[in-house]
Amino acid sequence: MERRQFLRLGAVASGVFALGGISRIVRGTGAAQTLGVPTVERLVMTNVVDNVYDAFARGGKLDTITVQRAALDPKGLLLFEHGLAYHLESVRGGERREILLDFAATEGSLLNNYGLLKVDPTRADALIVSHGHFDHYGALPDLARVTQGRLKPGITLYAGGEDTFCHRVVVTPAGSVDYGTLDRPALEARGLQVVLAKQPAVVAGHAFVTGEIARVTDFEKPPAAARLVAGPMDSACAASHFGATKVEARPGDMVADTFQGEHAAVYHVKDRGLVVITSCGHAGVINSVRQAQKASGIQKVHAIVGGFHLAPASDEIVSKTVEVFKDINPDYVIPMHCSGVNTIMAVHMTMPRKLVMPSTGTRVIFGA
Ligand SMILES: [Fe+2]
Ligand SMILES: [Fe+2]
């Protein structure tokens, strides 16, 4: 008999968790709260939009996964950009579920690639946005507009915290780059039910999101250039909401962005382990994997997927990260988006048989 797995929410006096899109208040007694982690037999992960498209990327059957590449077709070119979007389709006991995770930077890329990759967003059972950067949410308002009234009734958008909907800026030597604001009321007006999953939450009965990611490593730091713009006092974007430490700032001030509300999306694949999708990885890829393990009580990691945000990192940080990858011992590492060629090279040098190169349009089949 298959062993039941549980999300361990920790010993808390009270808290909020979401189960299948329903928020519940838990009044604890000091005992750990548990939430069943679903196990899927199969997961098909499609990289709908990524930073690169490589027509020569290798596909085929590896030891325990199948990698399918999108053929180059002059009549229908996949578009790629600095952004990320996934389609996730899973099977559990004969039940099929579809989740859309992140939404690229631009409507043109997202909708073009959905069409070419035969992704029908109106079939989605849930939506997840990893964090509030435009390269992950950019086309979400457009998607909500063009599918208004055609998405499944009451469909939930899972975000990790209030800061997903706050104004973000990146400071560069050439000046500030406005990363925009994801407009929560506008999404709700289009029919999306927004859930802030600060604690681990099961999504569509097949996946889970990690909740806030504990910072357990001493070498993974948020990007120094990232800023949040403080909103009005007592609003969801007031500076005091931006992190565990109270921040003194006036509305309009820019404060350091700690990505408190970033979360990772995770599946537990039968007989394989966890597939952890970090998206942009500002919280740290190792922190994200550790959070997924802690939340689920499952140690075996099948694949680490996503942007690891190591492209700008020093060789030392990349090296430390890959050293921990060796300890975690996943079956596969798929470094996308902001992971960087430095990280790809380090993974290739250290664990070449585990590396799957990213490319827009790639489908990876996990499980049976
Ligand atoms: Fe980001
Ligand atoms: Fe990103």
Side-chain angles (χ1 to χ4, degrees), residues 131 133 135-136 259 280 282:
H131 69 304
H133 272 167
D135 52 316
H136 296 255
F259 296 91
C280 211
H282 298 292

Side-chain angles (χ1 to χ4, degrees), residues 183-205:
D183 188 340
R184 176 176 174 172
L187 295 175
E188 290 171 330
R190 300 280 188 198
L192 304 188
Q193 309 293 314
V194 175
V195 164
L196 300 182
K198 297 180 184 181
Q199 300 285 341
V202 171
V203 177

